[in-house]
Amino acid sequence: MRIGIDKMAFATTNDYLDLVELAKERGVDPNKFTIGIGQDLQAVVPPTQDIVTLGATAAKKLLTPELEKNISTVIVATESGIDNSKASAIYIKHLLGLSDFIRTVEMKEACYSATAAIQFAKGVVALNPQETVLVIAADIARYGLNTPGEVTQGAGVVAMLISQNPHILTLEDTTVAYSKDIMDFWRPLYATEALVDGKYSTNVYIEFFLQTFTRYQQLTGRELADFAALTFHMPFTKMGKKGLEGLLKDRNDEVAQRLRTQLTASQLFSRQVGNLYTGSLYLSLMSLLQNSDLRAGSRIGLFSYGSGAEGEFYTGILEDGYEHYMNNIQEELKHRHQVSVAEYEKLFSSQLGMNDRDIEFDVADDPLPFVLKGQKDHQRIYEAK
């Protein structure tokens, strides 16, 4: 049985910040952001949006009445949870109007958990081939204003349907997972912004990629020439480049040149929205598929990484007509609204966060189909517009 990614959709906020403007405001050479980090624009989150509203927006793009009948499970992978008990998947299921006879769960392991969700979804479909699993990788990356990590913030969601006979990518059986107890990035329960040891985390990322890819080669006997492209988790696009170059080193033959070219294609969308945490790998996959000329039957390698730390390398085979089963991201990004640095700072500080008070937001100017109206009696209030 072929099982894999049947459809994919991406959603982000309507507002963005130009990082050249941020660099000027912070007194930093813009090249440090656009070249050194590899980021151009960054999604800005208004208080009326969170992982639930963005997750529902992305998932809505996938669904038809016929497909909804087959969904048995909704899994939200996130490190931006809104409740320490109740799964965000329940809120999203409700906003989408899905059947109550559906399993809903939330998963966490830093930026890695969407990959675990896909592997679990594959198991569900293997046992019940008639079922489809909705996997939603939803996150908002926050490091704080005027901090070293500010340039690697961002927000967005990649939603995916996992089923038999997929239209985009058939997942192959061999996967390699690798985990160690490492403090390179974490967010204590009392904090709304993450703590990170950036240089250490980058080194761990490269180590985990090399460990998982080498083990994959040992298990399969495959070489780099067997891959049309390698995709990476990209909290910032330079990270993917560091991973690939850690493998290629000085190699500059036809295979190496092809992998570098495809890496550039996979970076384009991340450069425009920033860090998606759990969704970053899957946005890079969508960027690759929408900005390259890969053919059906091509093998793509995927490296997933989550600080703390866990990595996984696995592969998939492209299906014929895959380009018809995703939303056109570049076209949607054209219609966003640019905000000034001052507006960005105001929106950043207006998030609901850990506030325990009753709050009502003005949702009139939010163009997205789902909004967070505020909080009443310690309960978040969502609305489908």
Side-chain angles (χ1 to χ4, degrees):
M1 183 194 309
R2 294 187 301 106
I3 301 173
I5 302 174
D6 184 56
K7 295 179 71 177
M8 304 181 77
F10 171 72
T12 187
T13 62
N14 189 56
D15 298 324
Y16 73 90
L17 175 67
D18 188 325
L19 293 181
V20 171
E21 297 301 315
L22 180 65
K24 292 176 180 177
E25 182 68 24
R26 300 293 186 247
V28 175
D29 180 354
N31 288 335
K32 182 177 180 181
F33 291 174
T34 60
I35 299 175
I37 301 296
Q39 298 299 126
D40 296 323
L41 309 175
Q42 184 178 104
V44 174
V45 185
T48 50
Q49 294 293 321
D50 65 7
I51 61 164
V52 168
T53 58
L54 291 172
T57 297
K60 184 179 180 181
K61 299 176 183 180
L62 299 175
L63 301 180
T64 65
E66 191 61 32
L67 287 174
E68 290 177 12
K69 295 176 183 177
N70 297 325
I71 294 177
S72 68
T73 305
V74 178
I75 307 175
V76 173
T78 187
E79 55 181 285
S80 309
I82 61 164
D83 190 285
N84 286 328
S85 176
K86 187 174 179 179
S88 52
I90 294 178
Y91 292 101
I92 292 175
K93 186 220 76 167
H94 175 72
L95 285 174
L96 294 173
L98 298 177
S99 167
D100 288 342
F101 292 98
I102 285 181
R103 181 186 300 110
T104 53
V105 292
E106 182 174 311
M107 298 182 62
K108 178 181 71 178
E109 193 344 81
C111 303
Y112 162 77
S113 60
T115 297
I118 288 173
Q119 299 297 352
F120 295 169
K122 183 180 177 183
V124 169
V125 177
L127 289 172
N128 304 282
Q130 76 282 3
E131 296 182 1
T132 296
V133 179
L134 173 58
V135 172
I136 301 171
D139 267 306
I140 296 171
R142 289 172 58 96
Y143 295 97
L145 299 176
N146 206 9
T147 63
E150 184 177 31
V151 68
T152 62
Q153 297 178 142
V157 174
V158 176
M160 297 167 276
L161 294 178
I162 309 301
S163 71
Q164 68 169 327
N165 301 321
H167 287 101
I168 296 179
L169 195 71
T170 293
L171 302 180
E172 296 189 288
D173 289 337
T174 302
T175 71
V176 178
Y178 185 78
S179 60
K180 284 186 175 182
D181 185 1
I182 290 174
M183 297 300 290
D184 61 328
F185 173 106
W186 67 104
R187 181 168 67 84
L189 289 176
Y190 53 78
T192 57
E193 282 80 48
L195 303 171
V196 60
D197 185 338
K199 186 174 182 180
Y200 180 44
S201 188
T202 297
N203 291 336
V204 173
Y205 173 103
I206 296 170
E207 176 199 346
F208 274 46
F209 170 56
L210 296 178
Q211 289 280 4
T212 55
F213 185 77
T214 299
R215 179 62 173 162
Y216 174 86
Q217 288 185 301
Q218 292 169 347
L219 293 173
T220 64
R222 294 188 179 121
E223 302 294 335
L224 277 176
D226 295 316
F227 294 89
L230 298 177
T231 55
F232 293 83
H233 165 58
M234 290 186 192
F236 53 94
T237 64
K238 196 66 173 289
M239 184 77 96
K241 179 177 174 60
K242 288 177 181 289
L244 182 61
E245 295 303 329
L247 178 66
L248 297 179
K249 297 183 169 54
D250 295 330
R251 184 169 171 175
N252 199 32
D253 56 14
E254 182 180 349
V255 171
Q257 291 177 16
R258 182 183 74 243
L259 294 177
R260 290 186 176 106
T261 297
Q262 302 295 17
L263 176 71
T264 299
S266 73
Q267 293 172 320
L268 294 178
F269 294 155
S270 293
R271 291 188 72 97
Q272 299 179 63
V273 296
N275 192 352
L276 307 190
Y277 287 157
T278 54
S280 292
L281 168 60
Y282 300 98
L283 180 59
S284 72
L285 174 61
M286 293 184 75
S287 184
L288 171 70
L289 298 184
Q290 295 187 19
N291 294 289
S292 66
D293 57 355
L294 293 176
R295 298 179 178 179
S298 296
R299 174 175 289 111
I300 297 175
L302 299 96
F303 173 62
S304 180
Y305 177 78
S307 294
E310 186 156 2
E312 184 164 344
F313 184 83
Y314 70 110
T315 58
I317 303 297
L318 270 184
E319 294 295 329
D320 187 38
Y322 64 86
E323 64 273 15
H324 301 300
Y325 294 88
M326 298 173 283
N327 63 309
N328 187 326
I329 295 177
Q330 189 58 60
E331 184 60 32
E332 293 184 8
L333 292 178
K334 291 179 182 178
H335 301 289
R336 293 183 298 170
H337 168 249
Q338 182 176 347
V339 298
S340 67
V341 175
E343 289 172 317
Y344 144 72
E345 291 177 340
K346 181 179 179 180
L347 291 170
F348 186 93
S349 300
S350 300
Q351 298 293 303
L352 184 56
M354 293 186 175
N355 202 319
D356 63 357
R357 292 174 293 138
D358 290 352
I359 295 175
E360 184 175 353
F361 296 129
D362 182 359
V363 300
D365 294 331
D366 193 320
L368 296 188
F370 303 99
V371 291
L372 171 62
K373 294 186 65 177
Q375 181 172 272
K376 185 174 178 61
D377 297 330
H378 306 284
Q379 300 175 43
R380 290 195 177 207
I381 310 299
Y382 294 102
E383 179 180 90
K385 295 182 74 175

